[in-house]
Amino acid sequence: MAVKDIAAKRPEWTIPEWLQGLLALGSAIGLVALLLLGLALTRSSLTVVMDGHRIQVRTHARTVGSALRQAGLELHPEDRISLEPDAPLRPGTEVQIERAEPVWLSVDGQTQQLRTHATTVGGVLAGAGVQTRPADEIRLDGQMVDLDTPLNGGTLRPAQAGRAGGQRLANADISSDPPQVCVLRASSITLDDDGVVTTLHTTAPTVGQALQEHGLTLFLGDEVLPGLQSSVESGMTVTIHRSVPVRIDVDGHTILTRTRAENVAGVLGQEG
């Protein structure tokens, strides 16, 4: 009976609350560590070769396209890629990418942005199906150029550090402003220079600039129709009525001038 009383009075041992919390925290940390280890072990490696750079990307993506998007690279239809974007991603996969550069193209009053693999201005125009004539004016970023001028497009920046220890690829669109290619079509005008008729091709905006562009010299007394400040329109006719040099000797003085008058009275009236 005495033994039973002693057993009944023995206190029960319980885990302190602070120890319970510590054990729960340790279990949570262990679970997270196992999850992170599992994620690390299941990542695939993708090698991206782009613009002479070799970049290693670690990813959990299942396809090449998804891996590239996770790495910060958006593909455009004009880009060339050695693997299909929906190709499955396997360990050791390597993909080669040739980016098409953005270019602004302005022709015949229409401006559009396109992407091209061309390296010259002529290549851009050919790729866009734009034909030029010898008198047309071609400009690159505001400067007059020819078809063989190199195209100074944007370049891809080196890879940057990304999440999960991988690398992020920089897009060409934000590294520099796209080059601007502009084609100014030459207008054809008929020039009647005192009876001598020729055809001129010009990109000048006014009649006076068109005549100056073709080296025509105007003298005091020459009449140009329409006026020198008139806008050039394709198919227009510009007429020059030439004056002739005249020498007037009066009261011991000599006056050299030019006139379109048809008689002496008209010349004297012109000079007052």
Side-chain angles (χ1 to χ4, degrees):
M1 185 67 180
V3 174
K4 292 183 179 180
D5 291 340
I6 294 173
K9 293 178 180 180
R10 182 180 297 169
E12 295 183 0
W13 184 80
T14 58
I15 302 175
E17 292 185 1
W18 66 268
L19 184 56
Q20 292 179 12
L22 184 61
L23 291 174
L25 179 60
S27 298
I29 292 175
L31 181 59
V32 171
L34 288 174
L35 289 175
L36 292 176
L37 179 61
L39 288 173
L41 293 176
T42 56
R43 284 190 304 173
S44 298
S45 175
L46 173 65
T47 301
V48 180
V49 181
M50 182 170 60
D51 285 352
H53 298 284
R54 245 180 130 74
I55 305 162
Q56 293 292 330
V57 176
R58 300 283 292 178
T59 178
H60 292 96
R62 295 184 177 182
T63 65
V64 171
S66 296
L68 294 176
R69 284 192 296 272
Q70 288 183 11
L73 179 63
E74 299 249 347
L75 293 176
H76 298 276
E78 299 84 359
D79 295 337
R80 297 170 182 166
I81 180 170
S82 60
L83 297 176
E84 293 294 331
D86 57 358
L89 188 61
R90 298 184 175 88
T93 300
E94 179 175 301
V95 60
Q96 297 187 8
I97 300 174
E98 295 180 29
R99 293 297 305 267
E101 298 290 349
V103 179
W104 286 105
L105 178 60
S106 179
V107 183
D108 297 330
Q110 300 293 324
T111 300
Q112 61 176 325
Q113 188 181 73
L114 50 84
R115 293 180 177 274
T116 180
H117 293 275
T119 58
T120 64
V121 171
V124 172
L125 297 178
V130 177
Q131 297 183 344
T132 60
R133 296 181 291 269
D136 290 343
E137 187 175 300
I138 303 171
R139 292 182 175 271
L140 175 62
D141 292 332
Q143 301 296 319
M144 191 180 302
V145 297
D146 55 32
L147 295 176
D148 295 328
T149 300
L151 184 67
N152 298 318
T155 57
L156 292 174
R157 298 182 299 175
Q160 301 171 336
R163 55 180 174 269
Q167 291 181 308
R168 292 185 61 80
L169 308 178
N171 285 309
D173 302 16
I174 59 176
S175 62
S176 64
D177 293 330
Q180 299 180 357
V181 177
C182 180
V183 178
L184 299 178
R185 297 294 191 188
S187 299
S188 297
I189 63 176
T190 299
L191 175 64
D192 183 348
D193 189 355
D194 225 20
V196 179
V197 179
T198 56
T199 299
L200 304 181
H201 302 282
T202 181
T203 58
T206 67
V207 170
Q209 290 172 307
L211 297 179
Q212 183 180 31
E213 179 182 84
H214 285 79
L216 282 118
T217 302
L218 296 176
F219 298 95
L220 179 67
D222 291 348
E223 181 184 36
V224 180
L225 299 173
L228 296 177
Q229 299 302 318
S230 299
S231 298
V232 170
E233 298 179 6
S234 188
M236 72 186 306
T237 297
V238 176
T239 302
I240 301 178
H241 297 292
R242 292 290 187 178
S243 59
V244 295
V246 174
R247 172 174 173 165
I248 303 174
D249 293 316
V250 56
D251 296 333
H253 298 283
T254 299
I255 301 173
L256 298 178
T257 186
R258 297 183 68 91
T259 183
R260 286 183 292 106
E262 297 180 353
N263 50 50
V264 174
V267 173
L268 296 178
Q270 169 186 311
E271 295 302 317

